[in-house]
Amino acid sequence: SPPQPSPPLLLPLLPPAARGGSTWEGEAKATLRLFGTRRMAVLFPLFWYTGFNQPYQLNTFGDRFFDSRALGLELASFYLAEVLGAALAGWTLDTASTPRAGALRQLAAFGLATSAAYALALSVEVPAARAHWPTCSTPRLQLGEEGVAVPSLAFFLWGLSDSQVQAYAYWLLRQLHSGGGGSRALRGCDH
């Protein structure tokens, strides 16, 4: 068969209807319809948590317990743990005998990491609040200073758990909506 002509260079500049695709309005409506389903309502706490946790972890806790140099290292540790946690989540979900087994193992790993991190944070937050009430303005820890290990471990575990729950959320979207349900955003989870 003869070679097919390549699409014109101006094709991306044409309106979606002229390209043979759907409009952005149709894409937006298909995506928003997902939020009206019972399944998404049940999953809302998971998706809410993935965006809620970091302001406390990185800003409130980090600014309260670390000086600027230590906080810089803690943020590097947090994001290194994010990479490790995402790899762990992918491995856990991909090597399981069934999707359900992978989901349960991943949720257990996330629950363990995030619970340990919050327990460690509580173990330093409560004494700091009692000692410095009502302002709770504790002296900020420097690198190598006594007492920096516990908040540092909490930071690392938060990074580990944050990427685990995000990877799980994307995996779950893919499991629940493998066809995309008319939404290009979800069809992107297929690849």
Side-chain angles (χ1 to χ4, degrees), residues 107-184:
L107 287 174
F110 161 71
L112 181 65
T114 199
S115 296
Y118 279 107
L120 290 169
L122 188 64
S123 78
V124 293
E125 286 274 24
V126 170
R130 286 183 179 154
H132 303 281
W133 189 259
T135 63
C136 298
S137 57
T138 64
R140 293 182 174 172
L141 299 168
Q142 297 178 4
L143 294 175
E145 190 173 338
E146 183 180 334
V148 78
V150 171
S152 295
L153 184 55
F155 239 69
F156 182 84
L157 289 172
W158 275 326
L160 192 71
S161 67
D162 181 59
S163 61
Q164 288 178 340
V165 76
Q166 288 184 31
Y168 174 76
Y170 283 114
W171 175 86
L172 187 60
L173 283 171
R174 168 64 176 90
Q175 297 298 313
L176 297 175
H177 299 283
S178 61
S183 167
R184 193 176 296 174

Side-chain angles (χ1 to χ4, degrees), residues 30-94:
T31 300
L32 291 174
R33 272 195 304 271
L34 292 171
F35 295 106
T37 65
R38 183 180 185 285
R39 180 180 286 165
M40 285 303 211
V42 170
L43 295 173
F44 174 77
L46 172 69
F47 300 131
W48 179 76
Y49 177 81
T50 63
F52 172 76
N53 57 351
Q54 284 190 3
Y56 165 72
Q57 297 164 353
L58 301 181
N59 298 337
T60 304
F61 186 85
D63 287 343
R64 180 175 299 139
F65 284 99
F66 303 112
D67 72 0
S68 59
R69 286 185 61 215
L71 184 57
L73 185 61
E74 297 302 328
L75 289 171
S77 167
F78 179 92
Y79 289 112
L80 171 65
E82 285 256 1
V83 171
L84 297 174
L88 174 65
W91 177 83
T92 300
L93 293 165
D94 290 344

Side-chain angles (χ1 to χ4, degrees), residues 8-39:
L9 293 176
L10 296 176
L11 188 60
L13 301 176
L14 296 174
R19 293 191 307 244
S22 62
T23 65
W24 70 268
E25 294 96 347
E27 293 286 336
K29 287 177 185 175
T31 300
L32 291 174
R33 272 195 304 271
L34 292 171
F35 295 106
T37 65
R38 183 180 185 285
R39 180 180 286 165

